[in-house]
Amino acid sequence: MSVDTVETPAAGSTAAAPAPSRPRRRGRRATPYLLVLPAVVLELLVHIVPMLVGIWMSFVRLTQFFIANWSQAPSAGLDNYKIALDFSGPLGKSLLHSFGVTLAYTVLVVGVAWLFGMSGALVLHRSFRGRGFLRTLFLVPYAMPIYAGIMTWSFIFQRDNGLMNHLVKSLGLGDGESFWLVGNNAFASMAIVAIWRAWPFAFLMLLAGLQNVPDEVYDAASVDGAGIWKQVRYITLPYLRPVNVVLVLMLFLWTFNDFNTPFVLFGPTPPRSADLMSIHIYGNSFVSWNFGFGAAMSVLLLLFLLVVTGLYLFLTSRRSRRA
C-alpha cells in the first residue's frame, strides 16, 4: 500500500507573488489625474481665466479709447466700485433699480415655475391613459432651442398682429392694441417667457424625485384617512426636500443671471421695467463702451451670488441636521 506524499515548502520559506513593477503602479495612480486633466484645462480656459481677466478689468479705466491697446489702460483703483455703489449718483441709482427689478423677477419666476412644476409632477406621477403624451408635451419648452422659443414669444407679443392682442380682443378684455414689449408691460411679458422656459425643468426634476417615494407610504396614509393635501404636506414634500434644495438654487442662479430672455425680446436697451442686471451690465460694457465699470458690476454680482449661495447651503444643511 502506497501513500501519496505532497511536498510542502520548507519552514521559513515564503511563496510570495511577484510585486508589480513600479512603472505600472505609477501609471495606475496617474490615470485618474489624466482623465480629469481635460476638464480642468477647459475649466481654466472657459471660466477661470476670463473671470480673472474680468476682475483685472474692474480696476482699470478700460473705455473705447483703450480698446486697441487695452493693456495700457490706466489704473482706476476702486473708483469703478465706488461709482457703482454710490446710490446717490445716476449710475448707482440705475444699478440699484436694476438689482430690484432682477430680484423681483427672480422671485416671481422661481416661485411660479416651481409651483407649476410641482403641480405637473403630482398629476403625472400616477399612471393613466395619455400620461406619456402629456409628459412629452410638457417638456417641449425645455427641449426647444432658447432663441427659437423666445423669438416665437416676441411675435406673440407684437402689437399689430400678435396672438396676445388678438386673444385679448376676442375675449372682450380690451381693444387688442396693447404694447406688451414696452413700458411696464415689458416686465410681465419677460416673466411669462421665463416661466414658460423654466417650469418644465422643475417638472422634470420633481417628477424624477417622486419616483423614489414608495407607493406603500401613500396607501398607508390613505388608509389612515389622510387626504391629498395632507399627503403632499407630510409625505411628498419631506421626501422631495433634497431635490427641492438643489432645484431652487439652480433656478435662482439661472434666473438671476438670465440674459437671453431680455436680450432677444428687447435688444441691448430694454425698457426700464425689464432692465435686468445681466442686460444692464451688457449695456454699460458694449453700448456705453465702459468695460471697466461693467466689469466692476459683474464682480459685485458674482460676490452677491456667492454670498447668497453660501448662506442658502448653510441654512439648508443646518436644517437637515436638525431634522
Side-chain angles (χ1 to χ4, degrees):
M1 181 175 174
S2 62
V3 179
D4 295 335
T5 59
V6 179
E7 294 184 357
T8 57
S13 64
T14 56
S21 60
R22 289 187 177 180
R24 182 181 299 180
R25 185 180 299 176
R26 291 176 180 176
R28 291 179 180 176
R29 291 179 178 178
T31 298
Y33 299 100
L34 293 176
L35 294 175
V36 174
L37 182 60
V40 173
V41 172
L42 289 176
E43 182 70 18
L44 288 173
L45 294 177
V46 177
H47 290 105
I48 304 301
V49 173
M51 183 181 67
L52 295 177
V53 172
I55 294 175
W56 169 81
M57 288 172 55
S58 67
F59 293 101
V60 298
R61 291 186 174 89
L62 185 58
T63 61
Q64 68 268 33
F65 303 108
F66 297 96
I67 293 298
N69 194 8
W70 55 270
S71 62
Q72 301 298 323
S75 175
L78 297 176
D79 289 347
N80 290 325
Y81 293 95
K82 292 178 180 179
I83 295 174
L85 297 176
D86 183 13
F87 301 133
S88 60
L91 295 178
K93 284 182 179 179
S94 62
L95 178 61
L96 184 61
H97 172 267
S98 178
F99 176 79
V101 172
T102 307
L103 189 61
Y105 169 78
T106 303
V107 172
L108 176 63
V109 172
V110 172
V112 177
W114 182 89
L115 182 62
F116 284 3
M118 189 67 191
S119 302
L122 290 174
V123 171
L124 298 184
H125 175 54
R126 300 300 180 113
S127 298
F128 61 90
R129 189 175 182 179
R131 183 181 66 168
F133 171 76
L134 289 177
R135 284 182 174 182
T136 305
L137 183 64
F138 285 176
L139 293 177
V140 168
Y142 184 65
M144 182 178 294
I146 295 177
Y147 280 83
I150 300 176
M151 284 297 298
T152 302
W153 277 101
S154 67
F155 286 112
I156 292 175
F157 286 128
Q158 282 185 354
R159 183 184 72 92
D160 297 325
N161 51 10
L163 178 62
M164 181 64 72
N165 278 339
H166 179 74
L167 181 63
V168 169
K169 188 175 182 180
S170 62
L171 294 176
L173 301 176
D175 54 7
E177 297 182 356
S178 300
F179 289 92
W180 294 100
L181 298 178
V182 296
N184 293 328
N185 289 335
F187 180 86
S189 302
M190 181 175 61
I192 290 173
V193 177
I195 293 170
W196 174 81
R197 284 184 50 226
W199 85 266
F201 176 75
F203 161 74
L204 184 63
M205 293 281 289
L206 293 171
L207 184 62
L210 284 174
Q211 308 305 314
N212 296 322
V213 183
D215 293 334
E216 294 79 5
V217 180
Y218 289 109
D219 296 337
S222 299
V223 172
D224 292 339
I228 182 65
W229 297 115
K230 287 188 176 181
Q231 292 181 21
V232 171
R233 179 179 179 182
Y234 295 106
I235 299 175
T236 305
L237 291 180
Y239 269 97
L240 290 180
R241 189 177 181 281
V243 178
N244 280 320
V245 169
V246 178
L247 175 62
V248 171
L249 179 60
M250 293 177 65
L251 289 177
F252 175 82
L253 294 177
W254 287 350
T255 307
F256 209 94
N257 285 310
D258 190 11
F259 175 82
N260 295 318
T261 303
F263 186 80
V264 177
L265 286 177
F266 312 113
T269 54
R272 181 174 171 81
S273 63
D275 187 21
L276 300 183
M277 287 282 292
S278 58
I279 200 73
H280 186 81
I281 294 172
Y282 176 87
N284 281 273
S285 299
F286 295 97
V287 178
S288 302
W289 296 91
N290 194 344
F291 295 97
F293 182 63
M297 290 189 293
S298 299
V299 174
L300 291 175
L301 176 60
L302 174 63
L303 293 176
F304 170 76
L305 293 179
L306 287 177
V307 171
V308 171
T309 302
L311 288 175
Y312 176 81
L313 295 177
F314 172 76
L315 293 176
T316 52
S317 62
R318 186 178 181 181
R319 187 176 178 182
S320 297
R321 295 194 202 101
R322 290 181 177 178

